[in-house]
Amino acid sequence: MIGCELTWADSAGIIVETEAYAAIGDEAAHTFLRPSARRFVAERPAGSLYVYLNYGMHWLLNFLVSGTGARGFVLVRALQPTKGIDLMRTRRGLSAERSLCSGPGKLTQALAIDGSVHGKDVFALPYARLNATLCAAAVETDLRVGITKSAELEWRFLLKGSPYLSIPKKETRPRAS
DNA sequence: GATGCGATTCAC
DNA sequence: TGAATCGCATCA
């Protein structure tokens, strides 16, 4: 999904950062502890939006996805704003384009996404659209952010070199001698 | 019912 | 570094 443009009503952005959460065996995923999340995976089609309130204040946007034999969620963590940027500035209460969508809670605020769309099929929403814009996006992986369980998995995906990431890739720089 | 804990963000 | 703030799971 890195490099795809997410259009949401009046605003849009290119997805530059995501994280994967597996429905089975991933201790950091909601499915690991929550029956409601497991039911969601079992009952809904791929493309369903899983939107939940984090820390009591931030809406986080996930897509239910289906792979070869495995299902799970893709958390959208950062966008490069492309449309409705002034609208985003108003919703975010700041002007720096770099900061409008550089975090999972920031981008939902910028796009005005909240729990009212939880469970909806993104392909059935008239005002939502997901389309590829980059044919050969350079994708890097990194450890997931803010995770304590199953923390060793490199399931964060980044558009290489993008200035719109929530956090830059943790570099394994060669030790100075 | 009470308690604890986050897939975060922002100000100090 | 800490506060804001709420849904869900767990336990009494």
Coordinates of all heavy atoms in Angstrom, one line a residue, chain A residues 33-35 53 55-57, chain C residues 4-10:
Chain A
L33 N -5.9 -10.3 21.9 CA -6.6 -10.2 23.2 C -8.1 -10.0 23.1 O -8.8 -10.2 24.0 CB -6.0 -9.2 24.1 CG -4.6 -9.5 24.7 CD1 -4.1 -8.3 25.5 CD2 -4.7 -10.7 25.5
R34 N -8.5 -9.4 22.0 CA -9.9 -8.9 21.9 C -10.8 -9.8 21.0 O -10.6 -9.9 19.8 CB -10.0 -7.5 21.3 CG -9.2 -6.5 22.1 CD -9.4 -5.1 21.6 NE -8.6 -4.2 22.4 CZ -8.7 -2.9 22.3 NH1 -9.6 -2.4 21.5 NH2 -8.0 -2.1 23.0
P35 N -11.8 -10.5 21.6 CA -12.8 -11.2 20.8 C -13.4 -10.4 19.8 O -13.7 -10.9 18.7 CB -13.8 -11.7 21.9 CG -13.0 -11.7 23.1 CD -12.0 -10.6 23.0
L53 N -10.3 4.2 18.8 CA -9.8 5.3 19.6 C -8.6 4.9 20.4 O -8.8 4.0 21.3 CB -10.9 5.8 20.4 CG -10.7 7.2 21.1 CD1 -10.4 8.3 20.1 CD2 -11.9 7.5 22.0
Y55 N -5.5 5.7 23.2 CA -5.2 6.6 24.3 C -6.4 7.6 24.6 O -6.1 8.7 25.1 CB -3.9 7.4 24.0 CG -2.7 6.6 24.0 CD1 -2.1 6.1 22.9 CD2 -2.1 6.3 25.3 CE1 -1.0 5.3 22.9 CE2 -1.0 5.5 25.3 CZ -0.4 5.0 24.1 OH 0.7 4.3 24.2
G56 N -7.6 7.2 24.3 CA -8.7 8.0 24.6 C -8.9 9.2 23.8 O -9.7 10.1 24.1
M57 N -8.0 9.4 22.8 CA -8.1 10.7 22.1 C -7.8 10.7 20.6 O -8.1 11.6 19.9 CB -7.2 11.8 22.8 CG -5.8 11.3 22.9 SD -4.9 12.6 23.8 CE -5.7 12.4 25.4
Chain C
dA4 P -4.2 16.2 33.1 OP1 -4.7 17.5 33.7 OP2 -4.2 15.0 33.7 O5' -5.0 16.1 31.6 C5' -4.7 17.0 30.6 C4' -5.2 16.4 29.3 O4' -4.3 15.4 28.7 C3' -6.6 15.6 29.5 O3' -7.5 16.0 28.5 C2' -6.1 14.2 29.4 C1' -5.0 14.2 28.5 N9 -4.0 13.1 28.6 C8 -3.7 12.5 29.8 N7 -2.8 11.5 29.7 C5 -2.5 11.6 28.3 C6 -1.6 10.8 27.5 N6 -0.8 9.8 28.0 N1 -1.5 11.1 26.2 C2 -2.3 12.1 25.7 N3 -3.2 12.8 26.4 C4 -3.2 12.5 27.7
dT5 P -9.0 15.8 28.8 OP1 -9.7 16.7 27.9 OP2 -9.2 15.9 30.3 O5' -9.3 14.3 28.4 C5' -9.1 13.9 27.0 C4' -9.5 12.4 26.8 O4' -8.3 11.6 27.3 C3' -10.6 12.0 27.7 O3' -11.4 11.1 26.9 C2' -10.0 11.3 28.9 C1' -8.8 10.6 28.2 N1 -7.7 10.3 29.1 C2 -6.6 9.6 28.5 O2 -6.5 9.3 27.4 N3 -5.6 9.3 29.4 C4 -5.6 9.6 30.8 O4 -4.6 9.3 31.5 C5 -6.7 10.4 31.3 C7 -6.8 10.8 32.7 C6 -7.7 10.7 30.4
dC6 P -13.0 11.0 27.4 OP1 -13.7 12.0 26.6 OP2 -13.1 10.9 28.8 O5' -13.4 9.6 26.7 C5' -13.0 9.2 25.4 C4' -12.8 7.7 25.4 O4' -11.5 7.4 25.9 C3' -13.8 6.9 26.2 O3' -14.0 5.7 25.5 C2' -13.0 6.6 27.5 C1' -11.6 6.3 26.8 N1 -10.5 6.4 27.8 C2 -9.4 5.6 27.5 O2 -9.4 4.9 26.5 N3 -8.3 5.6 28.4 C4 -8.4 6.4 29.5 N4 -7.3 6.3 30.3 C5 -9.5 7.2 29.8 C6 -10.6 7.1 28.9
dG7 P -15.5 5.3 25.1 OP1 -16.0 6.3 24.1 OP2 -16.3 5.1 26.3 O5' -15.3 3.9 24.4 C5' -14.5 3.8 23.3 C4' -13.7 2.5 23.3 O4' -12.6 2.6 24.3 C3' -14.6 1.3 23.7 O3' -14.2 0.2 22.8 C2' -14.2 1.1 25.1 C1' -12.7 1.5 25.2 N9 -12.3 2.0 26.5 C8 -13.0 2.9 27.3 N7 -12.3 3.2 28.4 C5 -11.1 2.5 28.2 C6 -10.0 2.5 29.1 O6 -9.8 3.1 30.2 N1 -8.9 1.7 28.6 C2 -9.0 1.0 27.4 N2 -8.0 0.3 27.0 N3 -10.1 1.0 26.6 C4 -11.1 1.8 27.1
dC8 P -15.1 -1.1 22.8 OP1 -15.2 -1.5 21.4 OP2 -16.3 -0.9 23.7 O5' -14.1 -2.1 23.5 C5' -12.8 -2.3 23.1 C4' -12.0 -3.1 24.1 O4' -11.7 -2.3 25.2 C3' -12.7 -4.3 24.6 O3' -11.9 -5.5 24.5 C2' -12.9 -4.0 26.1 C1' -11.8 -3.0 26.4 N1 -12.0 -2.1 27.5 C2 -11.0 -1.8 28.4 O2 -9.9 -2.4 28.2 N3 -11.2 -1.0 29.4 C4 -12.4 -0.4 29.6 N4 -12.5 0.5 30.6 C5 -13.4 -0.6 28.7 C6 -13.2 -1.5 27.7
dA9 P -12.6 -6.9 24.7 OP1 -12.3 -7.7 23.5 OP2 -13.9 -6.8 25.3 O5' -11.6 -7.5 25.9 C5' -10.2 -7.2 25.7 C4' -9.5 -7.5 27.0 O4' -9.6 -6.4 28.0 C3' -10.0 -8.7 27.7 O3' -8.9 -9.5 28.2 C2' -10.8 -8.2 28.9 C1' -10.2 -6.9 29.2 N9 -11.1 -5.8 29.7 C8 -12.3 -5.5 29.2 N7 -12.9 -4.6 29.9 C5 -12.0 -4.2 30.9 C6 -12.0 -3.2 31.9 N6 -13.0 -2.4 32.1 N1 -10.9 -3.1 32.6 C2 -9.8 -4.0 32.4 N3 -9.7 -4.9 31.5 C4 -10.8 -5.0 30.7
dT10 P -9.1 -10.9 28.9 OP1 -8.0 -11.7 28.5 OP2 -10.5 -11.3 28.7 O5' -8.9 -10.5 30.5 C5' -7.8 -9.8 30.9 C4' -7.8 -9.5 32.3 O4' -8.7 -8.3 32.6 C3' -8.4 -10.6 33.2 O3' -7.5 -10.8 34.3 C2' -9.7 -10.2 33.6 C1' -9.6 -8.7 33.7 N1 -10.8 -7.9 33.5 C2 -11.0 -6.8 34.3 O2 -10.2 -6.4 35.1 N3 -12.2 -6.1 34.1 C4 -13.2 -6.4 33.2 O4 -14.2 -5.7 33.1 C5 -12.9 -7.6 32.4 C7 -13.9 -8.0 31.3 C6 -11.7 -8.2 32.6

